[in-house]
Amino acid sequence: EPRSPCCCLAWTLVIATMNCLVFLLNLLLMFVIFTIVLLPTIVVVYFGFQCHSQVLHSPASYCKSILDDNSSSALIILGFVIMSPLIVVAMAIYCSLARRLRLLMCFQPYSLAVYKGGCCCPGERALCCARGCNSQLRAWV
């Protein structure tokens, strides 16, 4: 049965807040994974740009003794070349972790705000994040 307009508005705010928190959790997890996986690329490109004479030309001792313009250019190119496979690895890690933690199942439909007694998992009386869903249920179906 439908909820009253005031109750529907309150439930809509609760569901929207919960969906925003789940979205921020997904975004934070993605940021952490991508930062860790892409760290070698970030370091290599940083040192390449730092020691190149046309960009930053740092007075650091390793820039003077080890890295000249040619080696700095090689570091920059190497960093951008290894970025593509590392992005694929980071996305695969994020997707497998999100599927294992069932993070996409935690998004709640707004029909919960309109009608009484609905829930996202058939046969469950609690929200998906509170209790495990049916293992046959998939987020992409």
Side-chain angles (χ1 to χ4, degrees), residues 67-116:
L67 297 174
D68 59 353
D69 280 350
N70 290 334
S71 59
S72 296
S73 297
L75 281 179
I76 294 168
I77 292 169
L78 176 69
F80 283 113
V81 166
I82 66 173
M83 185 183 301
S84 296
L86 288 180
I87 287 175
V88 172
V89 169
M91 197 64 201
I93 291 171
Y94 167 73
C95 288
S96 66
L97 195 59
R99 189 175 65 196
R100 182 168 297 164
L101 295 175
R102 298 181 183 186
L103 291 177
L104 300 177
M105 299 291 286
C106 293
F107 287 105
Q108 299 298 316
Y110 286 101
S111 62
L112 290 175
V114 178
Y115 300 106
K116 292 180 182 177

Side-chain angles (χ1 to χ4, degrees), residues 6 15 18 33-34 42 67-68 111 113 125 132:
C6 186
I15 290 172
M18 188 167 59
I33 289 172
F34 272 74
I42 294 167
L67 297 174
D68 59 353
S111 62
R125 297 305 266 168

Side-chain angles (χ1 to χ4, degrees), residues 12-28:
T12 301
L13 292 175
V14 168
I15 290 172
T17 304
M18 188 167 59
N19 284 343
C20 286
L21 289 176
V22 170
F23 174 75
L24 290 175
L25 177 70
N26 277 307
L27 200 62
L28 178 69

